[in-house]
Amino acid sequence: MVKKFKIMLKGISIVLLIMIIINFGMDWCIFDKLGNGSDDGWLGFWGGFLGAIFAVVGVWWQTNKTITNEKELMFSNARPFFNLTVERDTLNLGKLYVTSDEEIGLGRKVIYLKIDNFSNKLMMKVVLKIYTKDGQTDKISIGRIEGGESIQIAPSWTHDIYKMSITDSEFNELDLKIKEICVYFTTEKGERLKLYFQNINGNIENIDSEKIVESNATKNNLNKLNEEYSNNEVFKESKMKLLKK
């Protein structure tokens, strides 16, 4: 936005400079030597000339705006619609991404995260950075989440809860340790996005989102994480357990 403003400011300055030069230049003898045109004739000529420049600039601006809008439409059509929730229940059958090798399975209530991809769009190189109230950070990396797929996620405190021997009433009183979550993922069009979630009264709500990469850089090298990670860090999928009966 700042770059576009500077370009527009330079363009306006150049046009104003040309108009000032023409205004004072009409009295120069060079115009008399070029022909017997009157001041009105020269003003008409320069007016038409500048009008043509404005017309070309207007067409360029409109074309550029159309291309930008079409590009944004292409990106937006590839963005998946998903939901990130906190579950207080027993784990379901299927994929469970974990941060520990400790035992965890079906049949016992725990607090865990769940991603439901409601769209038919693919989510690639998904990274969750989970920040807790006590200053701990868990990182979960998921290679891909298919359209219509649900993924369960067990941060470190999920394992701690699984090991507890508590009643249902005590379980219901457990505090949600999450402070905030950042979710990074790449779309089918190579656009990398970051979504920011926050714990608001025990519910995880999306607060903000932003583009990180919207060029072919991510598409051509999906192993490289976005600029918030070190350049030498490559994507490594977290451990996954397939929960079965």
Side-chain angles (χ1 to χ4, degrees):
M1 182 64 71
V2 176
K3 185 177 180 180
K4 290 183 178 179
F5 177 76
K6 289 182 178 179
I7 293 174
M8 291 178 61
L9 187 61
K10 287 181 180 178
I12 294 173
S13 300
I14 291 172
V15 172
L16 290 175
L17 180 61
I18 293 174
M19 294 177 67
I20 293 173
I21 292 174
I22 292 173
N23 181 56
F24 290 100
M26 294 301 297
D27 295 329
W28 296 350
C29 61
I30 188 173
F31 285 100
D32 295 331
K33 293 180 180 179
L34 289 175
N36 56 359
S38 64
D39 289 347
D40 291 340
W42 278 112
L43 287 174
F45 167 77
W46 286 113
F49 180 74
L50 291 175
I53 292 177
F54 281 121
V56 171
V57 171
V59 171
W60 171 84
W61 180 83
Q62 184 62 41
T63 302
N64 187 63
K65 183 179 179 181
T66 301
I67 293 174
T68 301
N69 291 339
E70 290 178 351
K71 183 179 179 182
E72 177 60 28
L73 180 62
M74 178 189 70
F75 281 133
S76 62
N77 286 338
R79 292 171 191 156
F81 173 68
F82 72 94
N83 198 21
L84 175 63
T85 56
V86 175
E87 304 292 328
R88 290 175 172 263
D89 206 341
T90 57
L91 293 164
N92 298 313
L93 300 176
K95 295 179 180 179
L96 173 68
Y97 284 85
V98 298
T99 57
S100 171
D101 290 325
E102 296 178 358
E103 181 185 358
I104 189 169
L106 303 170
R108 186 176 297 178
K109 284 187 176 181
V110 291
I111 301 176
Y112 64 98
L113 298 174
K114 185 180 179 184
I115 293 181
D116 292 300
N117 185 0
F118 295 119
S119 67
N120 61 353
K121 308 299 182 182
L122 180 65
M123 298 172 66
M124 299 181 289
K125 305 301 178 186
V126 183
V127 177
L128 285 84
K129 298 188 79 174
I130 306 162
Y131 303 92
T132 62
K133 296 176 182 178
D134 57 6
Q136 300 297 317
T137 302
D138 280 336
K139 177 182 169 183
I140 296 286
S141 301
I142 305 169
R144 56 194 287 145
I145 302 177
E146 303 287 346
E149 187 177 18
S150 294
I151 297 292
Q152 301 171 110
I153 299 163
S156 55
W157 37 267
T158 300
H159 294 271
D160 296 337
I161 295 173
Y162 185 80
K163 293 183 291 185
M164 293 180 180
S165 180
I166 56 177
T167 63
D168 285 346
S169 59
E170 290 173 328
F171 173 80
N172 294 332
E173 294 297 323
L174 289 176
D175 181 41
L176 180 61
K177 292 187 176 182
I178 297 175
K179 179 182 179 182
E180 56 193 28
I181 302 174
C182 290
V183 180
Y184 308 83
F185 65 92
T186 302
T187 69
E188 297 171 355
K189 293 298 182 181
E191 180 187 40
R192 190 142 181 91
L193 299 172
K194 172 186 176 182
L195 275 68
Y196 176 64
F197 295 82
Q198 214 171 46
N199 179 0
I200 300 179
N201 298 324
N203 295 316
I204 299 299
E205 298 185 14
N206 180 215
I207 302 300
D208 191 20
S209 60
E210 63 177 308
K211 295 181 183 181
I212 299 174
V213 177
E214 60 175 37
S215 68
N216 288 331
T218 305
K219 184 176 181 180
N220 293 336
N221 191 2
L222 287 175
N223 277 337
K224 292 294 183 182
L225 290 178
N226 57 66
E227 58 195 20
E228 295 198 8
Y229 296 90
S230 65
N231 293 330
N232 296 324
E233 185 174 0
V234 295
F235 186 91
K236 183 178 180 181
E237 190 168 38
S238 299
K239 297 175 182 177
M240 188 271 290
K241 293 186 177 183
L242 188 59
L243 301 181
K244 301 178 181 179
K245 289 184 179 180

